[in-house]
Structure formats: C-alpha cells, structure tokens
Amino acid sequence: STMVGTPTMIGAFFGFGVQCFSNALRKYPLYRHPWEHVIAIGIGAGFVSNLVTWTDKQRVLLEENMAKAKELQKRADALGVRTPKMQNSSNDDVQRARGHEADPGGGLHVWVRPCARVGRLFEQG
C-alpha cells in the first residue's frame, strides 16, 4: 500500500521537533536530556506509522462495506423493494430537498445569515 519509511521518518522528525520546541518554550538548552529526544522520536514514529496502517485498514473496510451495500441495493431492486438510493449529494441537493432554493454562495449562508441576525440585534439596541 504505502511505503513504511516515509511516514516513520515524518513521525520521527515530528517527535524530535516537539521535544526541541518543548525545551525552547521552557528556555532550556535544546538538547538538555538527549534520551527524551530518543523517546519522542520513537513515539512520533510509532504514532504516524500506526496512523497510516489504520487509515489503510479503514479504506479496505469502506470498500468492502460499499460493495456489500451495492449488492444489497441490487437485491432490493430485483425484488422491487423501495429503498433510498446511494448517491453523493451536494449541499445544494440537500437544500432543494428541504424546500430551499440552491445557495449561489457555495455554503456561505451558514455564516452570513447568523451574522446578519446579530447585526440587526445591535442596530435595534
């Protein structure tokens, strides 16, 4: 799937950097306790390596579940059972389903409308 060395090295550099940053914040010498750097490198490398492995496992599980769902959908269609179809709906589709018109601002209404309400409250006060 992915190369093991690259995420491990990224995690090792991240762990080393976190330890150096921690010492710098406390105004200690950067290499005050060298064994702490080794521990941080090991923790960072292990964390990122396991994160990549977990992500790969989740991707495989998702593909298996999607294949099962498609098979079940085919069976339901063959039997004439009405089920909601699997689809990738955009925000505009959701808004249309709720009876609203499509948002030309690409989702900005989520932020603009509440801000406008707050503005009106201040104008009235």
Side-chain angles (χ1 to χ4, degrees), residues 13-58:
F13 285 128
F14 181 73
F16 180 78
V18 166
Q19 185 59 38
C20 287
F21 185 70
S22 172
N23 285 347
L25 280 179
R26 294 182 288 169
K27 296 185 179 178
Y28 290 151
L30 292 181
Y31 303 111
R32 180 170 175 244
H33 295 140
W35 61 88
E36 290 177 355
H37 295 315
V38 173
I39 292 170
I41 286 171
I43 290 172
F47 174 75
V48 174
S49 179
N50 287 333
L51 181 66
V52 169
T53 304
W54 179 79
T55 305
D56 289 342
K57 286 180 184 177
Q58 293 302 313

Side-chain angles (χ1 to χ4, degrees), residues 86-122:
M86 293 187 308
Q87 62 181 0
N88 294 329
S89 63
S90 67
N91 187 31
D92 290 342
D93 294 336
V94 173
Q95 293 299 326
R96 275 191 221 102
R98 291 180 180 164
H100 302 291
E101 59 186 65
D103 179 30
L108 287 177
H109 69 281
V110 174
W111 298 103
V112 173
R113 289 181 186 155
C115 292
R117 288 186 201 127
V118 171
R120 280 184 292 221
L121 288 175
F122 284 117

